Amino acid sequence: MVQKAKILLVDDRPENLLALEAILSALDQTLVRASSGEEALKALLTDDFAVILLDVQMPGMDGFETAAHIKRRERTRDIPIIFLTAINHGPHHTFRGYAAGAVDYISKPFDPWVLRAKVSVFVELYMKNCQLREQAALLRLQLEGGDKGAEGPGKESAGLLAELSARLAAVEEQAEALSKQLDDDAADAAAVATAAHLERKLTGLRRALDALEPGTGSGAPSLPTQN
């Protein structure tokens, strides 16, 4: 069963959180509420999130300060942040949002369809990265098993290699389709860059898997990093 991605919604007004949940419920992912910057940072200590929707104006720790804390943490620095604001102070205010590490900056009231589409892109990229980590974990198990046997892969190992290859091919196909969709839609530069990074990691994993096939004659291949 495919595990759902988590989306963090940060806003000090309950009615805004309720509206975001209504807009994003169609994505069928896990929506997590946070009513302050401090509460958001606490949630990020234990859970992994595909994307963060962060209100700019909040009492105490505002959105900019919250984003700065998120980007300073190694665990959370790569999570995409979409800023939401009810006011617009012009280009300087928008620039401050991007400087804080946001991938997008949306003024309220916003188009629900546009917001849902933007969030869905980052959710899909997150899911593809999760699949890639799973393939890499299975490949590491195969490598460890290969180190213990000196006579090459047996039937069980060959079966695992075939399964890995098939599952990786499915992820490669989905990633290619997503990249084409991003190109066609003129999507955010951050989303395009993330998709390209995912494809590079897929290429590295495919090379490592191919090196395990009988007759390649090489030693244990290095696996792509998962950063």
Side-chain angles (χ1 to χ4, degrees):
M1 183 176 62
V2 178
Q3 188 172 357
K4 295 182 179 181
K6 292 183 178 180
I7 303 170
L8 183 58
L9 313 176
V10 190
D11 199 303
D12 63 299
R13 301 176 66 89
E15 62 270 25
N16 290 343
L17 291 171
L18 188 63
L20 287 174
E21 288 175 337
I23 292 171
L24 300 176
S25 60
L27 298 180
D28 194 27
Q29 305 300 324
T30 301
L31 306 177
V32 179
R33 284 188 175 200
S35 58
S36 67
E38 291 85 356
E39 190 175 335
L41 294 176
K42 185 177 179 180
L44 288 162
L45 287 174
T46 54
D47 290 326
D48 294 324
F49 292 91
V51 61
I52 302 170
L53 273 63
L54 181 58
D55 184 40
V56 171
Q57 289 196 296
M58 296 185 293
M61 185 185 296
D62 66 11
F64 296 130
E65 188 178 354
T66 303
H69 282 288
I70 293 171
K71 293 303 177 182
R72 279 198 293 265
R73 293 179 179 177
E74 184 176 357
R75 174 188 174 93
T76 59
R77 66 178 55 166
D78 294 326
I79 302 176
I81 298 175
I82 298 177
F83 271 133
L84 304 176
T85 179
I87 59 173
N88 188 356
H89 291 309
H92 176 73
H93 201 65
T94 303
F95 175 77
R96 188 181 175 191
Y98 287 116
V103 298
D104 211 337
Y105 193 96
I106 303 177
S107 298
K108 304 173 185 177
F110 45 77
D111 187 331
W113 293 94
V114 171
L115 179 64
R116 189 184 301 122
K118 289 177 179 292
V119 172
S120 68
V121 169
F122 289 107
V123 167
E124 191 165 357
L125 287 170
Y126 173 82
M127 299 298 285
K128 296 298 179 293
N129 271 293
C130 288
Q131 288 179 297
L132 182 56
R133 286 194 294 269
E134 182 182 346
Q135 310 309 318
L138 288 172
L139 184 52
R140 285 190 178 91
L141 288 176
Q142 172 62 33
L143 289 173
E144 291 172 1
D147 290 340
K148 295 177 182 178
E151 297 182 0
K155 291 183 179 180
E156 183 177 350
S157 297
L160 179 57
L161 280 175
E163 179 185 352
L164 275 170
S165 182
R167 294 175 67 174
L168 182 57
V171 179
E172 288 170 331
E173 182 178 352
Q174 293 168 358
E176 183 180 358
L178 179 59
S179 295
K180 289 181 179 178
Q181 177 186 337
L182 290 174
D183 291 339
D184 294 340
D185 295 345
D188 299 323
V192 174
T194 303
H197 180 57
L198 174 63
E199 287 194 329
R200 287 195 296 271
K201 291 195 292 185
L202 281 169
T203 300
L205 187 55
R206 170 59 68 184
R207 288 173 180 169
L209 185 60
D210 290 343
L212 287 174
E213 294 292 340
T216 56
S218 60
S222 59
L223 292 178
T225 60
Q226 298 304 308
N227 296 327

